[in-house]
Amino acid sequence: MQVCRLRPRSRFCAAILPVVLTLGFGAVPLSAREMPDADAATATAPRKPNVVILATGGTIAGAGADAANSATYTAAKVPVDKLIAAVPQLSDNANVRGEQVFQIASESFTDAQLVQLAKRVSALLKQDDVDGVVITHGTDTLEETAFFLDLVVKSDKPIVVVGSMRPSTAISADGALNLLDAVTVAGSKEAVGKGVTVTMNDMIQSGRDVTKRTNIVPSAFFSQWGPLGMVVEGKTYFFRTLAKRHNTSSEFDIDQIDSLPLVGIVYGSGNMIPGVYDAEVQAGAKAIVNAGTGNGSVPNYLVDKLKEIRSKGTLVIRSSRVPDGFVLRNAEQPDDKYDWVVAHDLNPQKAKILAAVALTKTSDTKELQRIFWEY
Ligand code: DAS
């Protein structure tokens, strides 16, 4: 087209040039800089994140007899490939694949299963082709699993634990959107380094802080220090970060843990039974979390029993049955004098998880107390 180069404004060139450019365009390798915007965008668009869904059971995999059954159903029925197939939008934001690790209601989780799950999460996140992991889980002990993974998986890649309060067969089931939100967070760069999260009811909760506060409604999960953020229509919005050590800043590593020491919990009330503590020690408990009344109070008729089991080597950790606030050391009880540990703001079930993890490294009460301040 030497002619057009010389007289580009001629009628002939004006007519022929677009045709030549169009015909030739496909054959001429243009750099992204020269491509029209649409092609440049495609050429430099970030790849979709690769997210693995580890299914363990729970209501999110539950099925009820009737659409009106929002609370009467059987948990842990639907397999992971059906969970994924039921939400085709999952592939909008990520490349997703699933593994069925367990198929149980989460009240049945054992420490051995916690360790097995954490080892699988850790192994997957070491792979360069895995950007994040989602764990579908029953809601009953979801908070313990999320906290455990927060403590022992040495990766900053997003780990998101998700459940549902209604089975997929119920009217206004919450599982599909919770799962979509979980995959969004697991694939988001903003979630890197934020600790293990829990996506329920549009909220992004910290696995360390969150607890199941109501046992029926979709808004069941709550963190007394507030959620980390929200996930809305495929986007994550973070408004705070976790102040406590977690994942890569944790001193604990699931690759160095094969089992967890036994830790018991005794729930505080009036007229308690001292023999319960002896039974827990005889059953092998290395620590007992005392879910005391008020600020972790211990009845006067139990103080000697707790001092006795401490003197025989069992750790005593004062938590509280009161959901919010935190247990003050040396306030209601002379913890220094009795060599007891306080659980700070951790509820009894989370204090049990942290105590078990800490006991894989130390049984020194000063070290234990440091760990309860820092995690
Ligand atoms: N039993 C409950 C559980 O598996 C059902 C649920 O809420 O997920 O935790």
Coordinates of all heavy atoms in Angstrom, one line a residue, residues 310-368:
R310 N -4.4 -28.8 90.2 CA -3.3 -28.1 89.7 C -2.0 -28.7 90.3 O -1.0 -28.9 89.6 CB -3.4 -26.6 90.0 CG -2.2 -25.8 89.5 CD -2.1 -25.7 88.0 NE -0.7 -25.4 87.5 CZ 0.1 -26.3 86.9 NH1 -0.4 -27.5 86.6 NH2 1.3 -25.9 86.5
S311 N -2.0 -29.0 91.6 CA -0.8 -29.5 92.3 C -0.4 -30.8 91.7 O 0.7 -31.2 91.8 CB -1.1 -29.6 93.8 OG -2.0 -30.6 94.0
K312 N -1.4 -31.6 91.1 CA -1.1 -32.9 90.5 C -0.7 -32.8 89.1 O -0.5 -33.8 88.4 CB -2.3 -33.8 90.7 CG -2.6 -34.2 92.1 CD -3.8 -35.1 92.2 CE -4.1 -35.5 93.7 NZ -5.4 -36.2 93.8
G313 N -0.6 -31.5 88.5 CA 0.0 -31.3 87.2 C -1.0 -31.0 86.1 O -0.6 -30.7 85.0
T314 N -2.3 -30.9 86.5 CA -3.3 -30.6 85.4 C -3.5 -29.0 85.4 O -3.6 -28.4 86.5 CB -4.7 -31.2 85.8 OG1 -4.5 -32.6 85.8 CG2 -5.7 -30.8 84.7
L315 N -3.4 -28.5 84.2 CA -3.6 -27.0 84.1 C -5.0 -26.6 84.4 O -5.9 -27.3 84.0 CB -3.2 -26.5 82.7 CG -1.7 -26.5 82.5 CD1 -1.3 -26.5 81.0 CD2 -1.1 -25.2 83.1
V316 N -5.2 -25.4 85.0 CA -6.5 -24.9 85.3 C -6.6 -23.6 84.5 O -5.7 -22.7 84.7 CB -6.8 -24.6 86.8 CG1 -8.1 -23.8 87.0 CG2 -6.8 -25.9 87.5
I317 N -7.6 -23.5 83.6 CA -7.7 -22.3 82.8 C -9.1 -21.7 83.0 O -10.1 -22.3 82.8 CB -7.6 -22.6 81.3 CG1 -6.2 -23.2 81.0 CG2 -7.9 -21.4 80.4 CD1 -6.0 -23.9 79.7
R318 N -9.1 -20.4 83.6 CA -10.3 -19.8 83.9 C -10.9 -19.1 82.7 O -10.3 -18.1 82.2 CB -10.2 -18.8 85.1 CG -10.0 -19.4 86.4 CD -10.3 -18.5 87.6 NE -9.5 -17.2 87.5 CZ -10.1 -16.0 87.3 NH1 -11.4 -15.9 87.2 NH2 -9.3 -14.9 87.3
S319 N -12.0 -19.5 82.2 CA -12.8 -18.8 81.2 C -14.1 -18.5 81.8 O -14.3 -18.6 83.0 CB -13.0 -19.8 80.0 OG -13.8 -19.1 79.0
S320 N -15.1 -18.0 81.0 CA -16.4 -17.6 81.6 C -17.5 -18.1 80.7 O -17.4 -18.2 79.5 CB -16.4 -16.1 81.6 OG -17.8 -15.7 82.0
R321 N -18.6 -18.4 81.3 CA -19.8 -18.8 80.6 C -20.5 -17.6 80.0 O -21.4 -17.7 79.2 CB -20.8 -19.6 81.5 CG -21.5 -18.8 82.5 CD -22.4 -19.6 83.4 NE -23.4 -18.7 84.1 CZ -24.3 -19.1 84.9 NH1 -24.4 -20.4 85.2 NH2 -25.1 -18.3 85.5
V322 N -20.1 -16.4 80.4 CA -20.7 -15.2 79.9 C -20.1 -14.9 78.5 O -18.8 -14.9 78.3 CB -20.4 -14.0 80.8 CG1 -20.9 -12.7 80.2 CG2 -20.9 -14.2 82.2
P323 N -20.9 -14.7 77.5 CA -20.4 -14.7 76.1 C -19.4 -13.5 75.8 O -18.5 -13.7 75.1 CB -21.7 -14.6 75.2 CG -22.8 -14.4 76.1 CD -22.4 -14.7 77.5
D324 N -19.7 -12.3 76.4 CA -18.8 -11.2 76.0 C -17.9 -10.7 77.2 O -18.1 -11.2 78.3 CB -19.7 -10.0 75.5 CG -20.3 -10.3 74.1 OD1 -19.9 -11.3 73.5 OD2 -21.3 -9.6 73.7
G325 N -17.0 -9.8 76.8 CA -16.1 -9.3 77.8 C -14.8 -10.2 77.8 O -14.6 -10.9 76.9
F326 N -14.0 -10.1 78.9 CA -12.9 -11.0 79.0 C -12.5 -11.2 80.5 O -12.8 -10.4 81.3 CB -11.7 -10.5 78.2 CG -11.2 -9.2 78.5 CD1 -10.2 -8.9 79.5 CD2 -11.7 -8.1 77.8 CE1 -9.8 -7.7 79.8 CE2 -11.2 -6.8 78.1 CZ -10.3 -6.6 79.1
V327 N -11.9 -12.4 80.8 CA -11.6 -12.7 82.2 C -10.3 -12.0 82.6 O -9.3 -12.0 81.9 CB -11.4 -14.2 82.3 CG1 -11.0 -14.6 83.7 CG2 -12.7 -15.0 82.0
L328 N -10.4 -11.3 83.7 CA -9.3 -10.5 84.2 C -8.4 -11.4 85.1 O -9.0 -12.1 86.0 CB -9.8 -9.3 85.0 CG -10.3 -8.1 84.1 CD1 -11.1 -7.1 85.0 CD2 -9.1 -7.4 83.5
R329 N -7.1 -11.3 84.9 CA -6.2 -12.1 85.8 C -6.1 -11.5 87.2 O -6.1 -10.3 87.3 CB -4.9 -12.2 85.1 CG -3.9 -13.2 85.8 CD -2.6 -13.4 85.1 NE -1.7 -14.2 85.9 CZ -1.8 -15.6 86.0 NH1 -2.7 -16.2 85.3 NH2 -1.1 -16.3 86.8
N330 N -6.2 -12.3 88.2 CA -6.0 -11.9 89.6 C -7.1 -10.9 90.0 O -6.9 -10.1 90.9 CB -4.7 -11.2 89.8 CG -3.5 -12.2 89.6 OD1 -3.6 -13.3 90.1 ND2 -2.5 -11.7 88.9
A331 N -8.3 -11.0 89.4 CA -9.4 -10.1 89.8 C -10.3 -10.9 90.8 O -10.2 -10.8 92.0 CB -10.2 -9.6 88.6
E332 N -11.1 -11.8 90.2 CA -12.0 -12.6 91.1 C -11.3 -13.6 91.8 O -11.7 -14.2 92.9 CB -13.1 -13.3 90.2 CG -14.1 -12.4 89.6 CD -15.3 -12.1 90.5 OE1 -15.4 -12.8 91.5 OE2 -16.0 -11.1 90.2
Q333 N -10.1 -14.1 91.3 CA -9.3 -15.2 91.9 C -7.9 -14.8 91.9 O -7.4 -14.2 91.0 CB -9.5 -16.5 91.1 CG -11.0 -16.9 90.9 CD -11.7 -17.4 92.2 OE1 -11.0 -17.8 93.1 NE2 -13.0 -17.3 92.2
P334 N -7.1 -15.2 92.9 CA -5.6 -14.9 93.0 C -4.9 -15.9 92.1 O -4.3 -16.9 92.5 CB -5.3 -15.1 94.4 CG -6.3 -16.2 94.9 CD -7.5 -16.0 94.2
D335 N -4.9 -15.7 90.7 CA -4.4 -16.6 89.8 C -2.9 -16.9 90.0 O -2.4 -18.0 89.8 CB -4.7 -16.2 88.3 CG -6.2 -16.0 88.1 OD1 -6.8 -17.1 88.0 OD2 -6.7 -14.9 87.9
D336 N -2.2 -15.8 90.3 CA -0.7 -15.9 90.5 C -0.5 -16.9 91.7 O 0.3 -17.9 91.6 CB -0.1 -14.6 90.9 CG -0.1 -13.6 89.7 OD1 -0.4 -14.1 88.6 OD2 0.3 -12.4 90.0
K337 N -1.3 -16.8 92.7 CA -1.1 -17.6 93.9 C -1.4 -19.1 93.6 O -0.7 -20.0 94.1 CB -2.0 -17.1 95.1 CG -1.9 -17.8 96.4 CD -2.7 -17.1 97.4 CE -3.0 -18.0 98.6 NZ -4.2 -17.5 99.4
Y338 N -2.5 -19.3 92.9 CA -2.9 -20.7 92.6 C -2.3 -21.3 91.3 O -2.5 -22.4 91.0 CB -4.5 -20.7 92.4 CG -5.3 -20.3 93.7 CD1 -6.6 -19.9 93.5 CD2 -4.7 -20.3 94.9 CE1 -7.3 -19.5 94.7 CE2 -5.4 -20.0 96.1 CZ -6.8 -19.5 95.9 OH -7.5 -19.2 97.0
D339 N -1.5 -20.4 90.6 CA -0.8 -20.9 89.4 C -1.9 -21.3 88.3 O -1.7 -22.3 87.7 CB 0.1 -22.1 89.7 CG 1.1 -22.3 88.5 OD1 1.4 -21.3 87.8 OD2 1.5 -23.4 88.3
W340 N -2.9 -20.5 88.2 CA -3.9 -20.7 87.2 C -3.7 -19.8 86.0 O -3.0 -18.8 86.1 CB -5.3 -20.5 87.8 CG -5.7 -21.4 88.9 CD1 -5.2 -22.6 89.2 CD2 -6.9 -21.2 89.8 NE1 -5.8 -23.2 90.3 CE2 -6.9 -22.4 90.7 CE3 -7.8 -20.3 89.9 CZ2 -7.8 -22.5 91.6 CZ3 -8.8 -20.4 90.9 CH2 -8.8 -21.6 91.8
V341 N -4.3 -20.1 84.9 CA -4.2 -19.3 83.7 C -5.6 -18.7 83.4 O -6.6 -19.4 83.7 CB -3.7 -20.2 82.5 CG1 -3.7 -19.5 81.2 CG2 -2.4 -20.8 82.8
V342 N -5.6 -17.5 82.8 CA -6.9 -17.0 82.4 C -7.0 -17.0 80.9 O -6.1 -16.8 80.2 CB -7.2 -15.6 82.9 CG1 -7.3 -15.6 84.4 CG2 -6.2 -14.6 82.4
A343 N -8.3 -17.2 80.4 CA -8.5 -17.4 78.9 C -8.7 -16.1 78.2 O -8.9 -16.1 77.0 CB -9.7 -18.3 78.7
H344 N -8.5 -15.0 78.9 CA -8.7 -13.6 78.3 C -10.1 -13.6 77.7 O -11.1 -13.9 78.3 CB -7.6 -13.5 77.3 CG -7.3 -12.0 77.0 ND1 -7.4 -11.0 77.8 CD2 -6.8 -11.5 75.8 CE1 -7.1 -9.9 77.3 NE2 -6.7 -10.1 76.0
D345 N -10.3 -13.2 76.4 CA -11.6 -13.0 75.8 C -12.1 -14.3 75.1 O -13.2 -14.3 74.5 CB -11.6 -11.9 74.8 CG -10.8 -12.2 73.6 OD1 -9.7 -12.9 73.8 OD2 -11.2 -11.9 72.5
L346 N -11.3 -15.4 75.2 CA -11.7 -16.6 74.5 C -12.8 -17.3 75.2 O -12.7 -17.5 76.5 CB -10.5 -17.6 74.3 CG -9.4 -17.0 73.4 CD1 -8.3 -18.1 73.3 CD2 -10.0 -16.8 71.9
N347 N -13.9 -17.7 74.5 CA -15.0 -18.5 75.2 C -14.4 -19.9 75.5 O -13.3 -20.3 75.0 CB -16.2 -18.6 74.3 CG -16.0 -19.3 73.0 OD1 -15.2 -20.2 72.9 ND2 -16.8 -18.9 71.9
P348 N -15.1 -20.7 76.3 CA -14.6 -21.9 76.8 C -14.1 -22.9 75.7 O -13.1 -23.5 75.7 CB -15.7 -22.5 77.6 CG -16.5 -21.3 78.1 CD -16.4 -20.3 77.0
Q349 N -14.9 -23.0 74.6 CA -14.6 -23.9 73.5 C -13.4 -23.5 72.7 O -12.6 -24.3 72.2 CB -15.8 -24.1 72.6 CG -16.4 -22.9 71.9 CD -17.5 -22.3 72.8 OE1 -17.6 -22.4 74.0 NE2 -18.5 -21.7 72.1
K350 N -13.1 -22.2 72.6 CA -11.9 -21.7 72.0 C -10.7 -21.8 72.9 O -9.6 -22.1 72.5 CB -12.1 -20.3 71.4 CG -13.2 -20.2 70.4 CD -12.9 -19.1 69.4 CE -13.9 -19.2 68.2 NZ -13.7 -18.2 67.2
A351 N -11.0 -21.5 74.2 CA -9.9 -21.7 75.1 C -9.4 -23.1 75.1 O -8.2 -23.4 75.2 CB -10.4 -21.3 76.5
K352 N -10.3 -24.1 75.0 CA -9.9 -25.5 74.9 C -9.0 -25.8 73.7 O -8.0 -26.4 73.8 CB -11.2 -26.3 74.8 CG -11.0 -27.8 74.5 CD -12.3 -28.5 74.3 CE -12.1 -29.8 73.6 NZ -12.3 -31.0 74.4
I353 N -9.4 -25.2 72.5 CA -8.5 -25.4 71.3 C -7.2 -24.8 71.5 O -6.1 -25.4 71.3 CB -9.2 -24.7 70.1 CG1 -10.5 -25.4 69.7 CG2 -8.3 -24.6 68.9 CD1 -10.3 -26.8 69.1
L354 N -7.1 -23.5 72.1 CA -5.8 -22.9 72.3 C -4.9 -23.7 73.3 O -3.7 -23.9 73.1 CB -5.9 -21.4 72.6 CG -4.6 -20.7 72.8 CD1 -3.7 -20.8 71.6 CD2 -4.9 -19.2 73.1
A355 N -5.6 -24.1 74.4 CA -4.9 -24.9 75.4 C -4.3 -26.1 74.8 O -3.1 -26.5 75.0 CB -5.8 -25.2 76.5
A356 N -5.1 -26.8 74.0 CA -4.6 -28.1 73.4 C -3.4 -27.8 72.5 O -2.4 -28.5 72.5 CB -5.7 -28.8 72.6
V357 N -3.5 -26.8 71.7 CA -2.4 -26.4 70.8 C -1.2 -26.0 71.5 O 0.0 -26.5 71.3 CB -2.8 -25.3 69.8 CG1 -1.6 -24.8 69.0 CG2 -3.9 -25.8 68.8
A358 N -1.4 -25.2 72.6 CA -0.2 -24.7 73.4 C 0.5 -25.9 74.1 O 1.7 -25.9 74.1 CB -0.7 -23.7 74.4
L359 N -0.3 -26.8 74.5 CA 0.3 -28.0 75.3 C 1.1 -28.9 74.4 O 1.8 -29.7 74.8 CB -0.9 -28.8 75.9 CG -1.4 -28.2 77.2 CD1 -2.7 -28.8 77.6 CD2 -0.4 -28.3 78.3
T360 N 1.0 -28.7 73.0 CA 1.9 -29.5 72.2 C 3.3 -28.9 72.3 O 4.3 -29.6 71.8 CB 1.4 -29.4 70.7 OG1 1.5 -28.1 70.2 CG2 0.0 -29.9 70.5
K361 N 3.5 -27.7 72.9 CA 4.8 -27.1 73.0 C 5.3 -26.9 74.4 O 6.4 -27.0 74.7 CB 4.8 -25.7 72.3 CG 5.1 -25.7 70.8 CD 5.3 -24.3 70.3 CE 5.7 -24.4 68.8 NZ 7.1 -24.4 68.5
T362 N 4.3 -26.6 75.3 CA 4.7 -26.3 76.7 C 3.6 -26.5 77.7 O 2.5 -26.5 77.3 CB 5.2 -24.8 76.8 OG1 5.5 -24.5 78.2 CG2 4.0 -23.9 76.4
S363 N 4.0 -26.8 79.0 CA 3.0 -26.9 80.0 C 3.4 -25.9 81.1 O 2.8 -26.0 82.2 CB 2.9 -28.3 80.6 OG 4.2 -28.7 81.1
D364 N 4.3 -25.0 80.8 CA 4.7 -24.0 81.8 C 3.6 -22.9 81.8 O 3.2 -22.3 80.8 CB 6.0 -23.3 81.3 CG 6.4 -22.1 82.1 OD1 7.0 -22.3 83.2 OD2 6.0 -21.0 81.8
T365 N 3.1 -22.6 83.0 CA 1.9 -21.7 83.1 C 2.2 -20.3 82.7 O 1.4 -19.6 82.1 CB 1.4 -21.7 84.6 OG1 2.5 -21.6 85.5 CG2 0.5 -22.9 84.9
K366 N 3.5 -19.8 82.9 CA 3.8 -18.5 82.4 C 3.8 -18.4 80.9 O 3.3 -17.5 80.3 CB 5.2 -18.0 83.0 CG 5.2 -17.7 84.5 CD 6.4 -17.0 85.0 CE 6.3 -16.6 86.5 NZ 5.3 -17.5 87.2
E367 N 4.3 -19.5 80.3 CA 4.2 -19.6 78.8 C 2.8 -19.7 78.3 O 2.4 -19.0 77.4 CB 5.1 -20.7 78.3 CG 6.5 -20.4 78.1 CD 6.7 -19.4 77.0 OE1 6.7 -19.8 75.8 OE2 6.8 -18.2 77.3
L368 N 2.0 -20.5 79.1 CA 0.6 -20.7 78.7 C -0.1 -19.3 78.7 O -0.8 -18.9 77.8 CB -0.1 -21.7 79.6 CG -0.3 -23.1 79.2 CD1 -1.3 -23.2 78.1 CD2 1.0 -23.8 78.8

